[in-house]
Amino acid sequence: MPSNPTPRAVRSLLALCVAALLTAVLAACGGGSTDVPGGQDISSGSRRINLIAYATPKPGFDLVIPGFRSTPDGHDIGFSQSYGASGDQSRKVARGLPTDVVNLSVAPDITRLVKAGVVDENWEDEFPNKSVAFGSVVALVVREGNPKNIHTWDDLLRPGISVVTPNPGSSGSAKWNLLAPYAAASNGGQNPQAGLDYVRSLVRDHVRILPKSGREATTAFEQGQGDVLVTYENEALMLKRHNDTAPASQRVDYVIPAQTFRIDNPIAVVNTTHDRAAADSFVKYQFTPDAQRLWAKAGFRPVDPAIAAETAADFPGRIDRLWTVDDLGGWKKIDKDLFGKSGAVTEIYDEEAGK
């Protein structure tokens, strides 16, 4: 750190410390165990699955794991779980963290595991829908009543608007959050400079803190930081559902922009698993109608067309243009051009970190 840190750097450091402390306190208050979602013991069984996932889908797995354990295939399978920023989780698995199943935010975090030799190259072909069992779209969470009148991506660039979104260096959700306005501003990558100009203005003038994960970003917003939280739709739904019991300062509304981005979160079995049959059966269960309904209950969009139609009313909002990774040329191009070590978005964040 420079000997005379800028006011921006000091504010960011203090905000991150507060968010981290709050996250730790909340975890302690919740019992500190991921083995008892909703009071149900999920650790018992003669067989075991180690699930390593990014932070956001924990509420979904809290429903889906007990659902799986109620089936003949899953009744004697216990679980241990770890949740965190997607990039950090991927790096831990690459370094040898005991794992059977990974669910990460973006495909490049699985590609890292392929390069490390712990996930097979054909992982996308091993399960339906390119091994994406659920998804979401990018949403904007605002304070109750939407006092800043936020409706579009351009509204985030108005003077005085403070935006909370995680650090793309550690968080997969941060990448989705930035791809949505980038795609809208660049017309699906047709005018990349316009997209980068938007991202630069957003990061330079409106992003004040850089949480490590989507979950930490949500915690920071709940504690009063920022006017807008850019996040997954399921996080927005979760926060909105808590309005009845939340203090007035933590009540929210949310907006689905007319142009937004489809979020695909891949799941894979690692080839170092000690129980391939158990791991395979758990991942296959994610695509069953029962599990798809549970994912919808947790606020995630099902990938089964029939269940998506059945639960459509649970996901209000009109989307005129839903951009996808394929629209921008695929993850290999996106990572190289935007988020790699020399990517344009990485350079934007590096510039800001150097100020």
Side-chain angles (χ1 to χ4, degrees):
M1 179 179 291
S3 57
N4 295 302
T6 65
R8 176 190 175 96
V10 172
R11 287 196 304 271
S12 297
L13 179 59
L14 288 173
L16 282 173
C17 290
V18 170
L21 177 61
L22 287 166
T23 299
V25 169
L26 289 171
C29 292
S33 171
T34 61
D35 293 336
V36 286
Q40 297 187 54
D41 174 28
I42 62 165
S43 63
S44 60
S46 64
R47 303 161 73 186
R48 176 160 296 272
I49 288 177
N50 294 313
L51 171 65
I52 309 299
Y54 69 108
T56 304
K58 185 181 184 300
F61 282 117
D62 284 349
L63 299 177
V64 171
I65 289 175
F68 173 66
R69 281 169 53 86
S70 71
T71 68
D73 285 341
H75 79 281
D76 197 32
I77 297 176
F79 282 78
S80 63
Q81 304 166 86
S82 169
Y83 298 93
S86 184
D88 291 348
Q89 295 289 79
S90 174
R91 284 183 278 271
K92 290 176 185 176
V93 175
R95 292 195 297 264
L97 180 69
T99 308
D100 297 289
V101 175
V102 290
N103 175 218
L104 300 175
S105 181
V106 293
D109 286 339
I110 303 250
T111 301
R112 177 185 291 114
L113 304 182
V114 173
K115 293 178 179 177
V118 297
V119 168
D120 294 337
E121 288 188 12
N122 66 335
W123 66 272
E124 286 185 305
D125 301 323
E126 292 181 338
F127 302 100
N129 197 47
K130 293 186 176 181
S131 294
V132 174
F134 59 86
S136 194
V137 299
V138 181
L140 306 176
V141 179
V142 297
R143 303 299 173 185
E144 187 177 40
N146 198 0
K148 297 298 179 74
N149 198 29
I150 302 295
H151 296 283
T152 70
W153 292 109
D154 286 342
D155 289 337
L156 301 193
L157 302 188
R158 296 203 318 258
I161 298 298
S162 176
V163 177
V164 178
T165 186
N167 187 344
S170 59
S171 168
S173 66
K175 294 181 180 181
W176 295 114
N177 292 354
L178 296 173
L179 286 176
Y182 172 86
S186 68
N187 190 28
Q190 296 303 305
N191 184 354
Q193 190 57 52
L196 291 173
D197 287 346
Y198 180 97
V199 172
R200 179 173 285 104
S201 179
L202 179 72
V203 173
R204 180 190 63 208
D205 301 327
H206 301 277
V207 174
R208 299 289 179 257
I209 62 171
L210 292 176
K212 290 186 65 177
S213 71
R215 177 62 63 200
E216 288 187 15
T218 297
T219 298
F221 187 77
E222 286 181 300
Q223 299 306 318
Q225 299 199 47
D227 302 305
V228 186
L229 170 68
V230 187
T231 190
Y232 293 7
E233 178 187 38
N234 57 280
E235 286 283 289
L237 285 165
M238 177 190 71
L239 291 171
K240 177 78 171 176
R241 290 170 182 171
H242 291 167
N243 272 0
D244 289 344
T245 58
S249 63
Q250 293 185 11
R251 294 171 192 162
V252 305
D253 285 316
Y254 72 92
V255 175
I256 305 295
Q259 290 195 58
T260 190
F261 211 88
R262 190 185 77 197
I263 297 169
D264 298 323
N265 306 131
I267 190 167
V269 175
V270 303
N271 56 29
T272 54
T273 176
H274 294 294
D275 194 335
R276 180 78 195 208
D280 279 346
S281 65
F282 176 62
V283 176
K284 288 176 182 176
Y285 173 75
Q286 309 308 309
F287 298 91
T288 65
D290 286 347
Q292 290 285 288
R293 290 188 183 97
L294 291 173
W295 280 114
K297 184 177 179 181
F300 294 85
R301 296 197 172 211
V303 298
D304 181 315
I307 307 304
E310 176 186 310
T311 60
D314 295 337
F315 303 95
R318 172 179 169 178
I319 300 174
D320 295 331
R321 187 62 166 92
L322 186 61
W323 298 103
T324 70
V325 165
D326 289 341
D327 291 327
L328 298 182
W331 267 117
K332 186 174 182 180
K333 175 177 172 57
I334 290 169
D335 234 24
K336 177 178 180 294
D337 294 349
L338 300 180
F339 298 116
K341 290 183 179 180
S342 300
V345 172
T346 302
E347 291 181 355
I348 290 170
Y349 274 83
D350 287 346
E351 290 170 6
E352 291 306 303
K355 290 183 179 179

